[in-house]
Amino acid sequence: RRGEMAKSTQLIDNEVFRAYATYTAIVLLKMMLMSLITAYFRITRKAFVNPEDTASFGKGENAKKYLRTDPDVERVRRGHLNDLENIVPFVGIGLLYALSSPELSTALLHFRIFTGARILHTFAYLIPLPQPGRGLSWAVGYAVTFSMAYKVLKTAWLL
Amino acid sequence: RRGEMAKSTQLIDNEVFRAYATYTAIVLLKMMLMSLITAYFRITRKAFVNPEDTASFGKGENAKKYLRTDPDVERVRRGHLNDLENIVPFVGIGLLYALSSPELSTALLHFRIFTGARILHTFAYLIPLPQPGRGLSWAVGYAVTFSMAYKVLKTAWLL
Amino acid sequence: RRGEMAKSTQLIDNEVFRAYATYTAIVLLKMMLMSLITAYFRITRKAFVNPEDTASFGKGENAKKYLRTDPDVERVRRGHLNDLENIVPFVGIGLLYALSSPELSTALLHFRIFTGARILHTFAYLIPLPQPGRGLSWAVGYAVTFSMAYKVLKTAWLL
């Protein structure tokens, strides 16, 4: 058993993999934060979607008026969905990239730019910043993931 | 080739990784089940979104009346999206956590509580149970993922 | 350091894992393509959701009229969400499957059918093809993921 344990820890001892683990955890925690921001806006704007969520505001028509959409809530939800659409490919392709023996400095560059771009994207979406702020931060993260996918396909290609 | 094969199986021989694989498969299968439940409600409630899906009900206005939203369908879809928002971080962070050499008992505790919480969350959403049933089950899964992320960052930290 | 590096590359030297890496990269790139198609339809149909995205069309009412939903945009977005719901389980379960020592030919069969089914699904959704074209391509991808999950649970089972 001991030997197996030791073997399974080797991956996390690899520096590129450690960098991947660090940035993936950060970027997934950032995505999870969107749930809390949505909850915050739902509660402060009193804008809910499930009838059972408004029960504490009373019964009947009194509670029903809080079943509505709010522009701030919808904005956070769009940011959250955009995170899912972009962070899922980063996590999946990034793992394969980290296992394709890139240079540590190159890997760090990819992970750092992606993470920075997605944090900027969230601010650009929530403040909101004028375009092309959000568009550019989205495109930078997209390009980084694309670059990692290129390295993965070049290294692993077996169709 | 044989040597490589043997090496690649070592990960799945590791007990923490086997536990991760088991619970990740279960929780992803549970998420996939939401597609079938959505299809079931779409068909029984006759509530579709794509015109080509209603073609079997006839042509013109007769088919068009089934292009509508239904509260039960929308409820399942919200549950599915909530799964994506929460199970994606679990799968990503959980993999890194499983590779960060946690104690088997601690790892099992994390995986079991998360899986139980998400199954409860689905029941709370679909029945629906009165709040804070759904809210609490969501928060428990969220806290478990957060705890795993903390261990990952403590072990792997390389910024 | 050299020894560790060498070890981390062994996974990508394994043929099943290389096949997994190749098809996962392809299928995630295909999913990322949906963002570009959404952007294309938003711009050509002039249908936006964020006020800051219409600022270049002028101010006030002139820009406001482009804050609207468009059936083509919504169709691509549904295809994108369907990708997320189905490709996330493939990437997660597929990784565990690739580590569960399947035969290379069996693994390739799974990965190829899934990838083909999801590409067909996208065409069926966007053209759109009459049903059951989209339904069948969805079901095939679903069944492949289910089959991989069965192998993972049979190999790894530790509850």
Side-chain angles (χ1 to χ4, degrees), chain B residues 9 23 32 50 52-53 112, chain C residues 75 78 101 131 142 159:
Chain B
T9 58
Y23 286 97
M32 287 170 68
N50 296 299
E52 67 268 26
D53 300 353
R112 284 172 181 158
Chain C
R75 184 172 279 277
R78 289 196 297 275
S101 313
Q131 285 286 26
Y142 196 89
L159 212 59

Side-chain angles (χ1 to χ4, degrees), chain B residues 110 113-114 116-118 134-146:
Chain B
H110 280 81
I113 293 176
F114 182 87
R118 291 312 301 180
R134 196 183 86 238
L136 277 183
S137 59
W138 171 84
V140 168
Y142 196 89
V144 167
T145 308
F146 203 87

Side-chain angles (χ1 to χ4, degrees), chain A residues 9 23 32 50 52 112, chain B residues 75 78 101 134 142 159:
Chain A
T9 57
Y23 286 97
M32 287 170 67
N50 296 300
E52 68 268 27
R112 282 170 183 160
Chain B
R75 183 173 279 278
R78 289 196 298 275
S101 312
R134 196 183 86 238
Y142 196 89
L159 211 58

Side-chain angles (χ1 to χ4, degrees), chain C residues 64-98:
Chain C
K64 227 174 188 172
K65 70 179 175 212
Y66 300 122
L67 292 178
R68 56 192 188 84
T69 58
D70 172 90
D72 291 327
V73 172
E74 295 309 306
R75 184 172 279 277
V76 187
R77 292 183 65 223
R78 289 196 297 275
H80 200 166
L81 187 58
N82 194 282
D83 269 356
L84 267 174
E85 292 169 358
N86 289 279
I87 290 174
V88 162
F90 171 81
V91 172
I93 291 172
L95 173 68
L96 305 171
Y97 172 77

